Amino acid sequence: CLLTEMNLRPSEIEILGMIAEGYTSKEIATKTKYAFNSVETIRTMLFRKTKARNVAHLVSICYQNGLLKIPQ
């Protein structure tokens, strides 16, 4: 199943990009409008939707499915 078929919400895509950039949940909460607990919930949903085992696997899956682009 491709991730594009999983209907990721804008908040999930936003936080996914920040995770890929190496931000922690606390840093994401500080830099966005989301509370720390909301960031943690969104991270959990991303792991469930992608079936990723860890952050490296999550980012890899997302690059492979075109949800993230390698910066030039």
Side-chain angles (χ1 to χ4, degrees):
C1 177
L2 292 175
L3 289 183
T4 53
E5 298 171 0
M6 293 184 190
N7 297 321
L8 295 182
R9 292 178 284 148
S11 59
E12 292 170 329
I13 293 169
E14 178 183 7
I15 288 176
L16 174 60
M18 295 183 82
I19 291 170
E21 291 176 9
Y23 289 102
T24 65
S25 292
K26 185 176 179 180
E27 291 169 330
I28 293 170
T30 300
K31 292 179 177 285
T32 65
K33 63 183 178 190
Y34 305 107
F36 175 80
N37 288 341
S38 296
V39 173
E40 287 290 294
T41 298
I42 292 168
R43 284 176 68 109
T44 299
M45 293 307 299
L46 286 167
F47 278 96
R48 283 186 189 156
K49 287 183 177 184
T50 62
K51 298 180 176 47
R53 296 183 298 268
N54 54 46
V55 172
H57 190 213
L58 173 67
V59 172
S60 174
I61 289 168
C62 293
Y63 276 116
Q64 291 171 9
N65 285 274
L67 289 174
L68 294 170
K69 303 283 186 224
I70 296 174
Q72 297 292 325

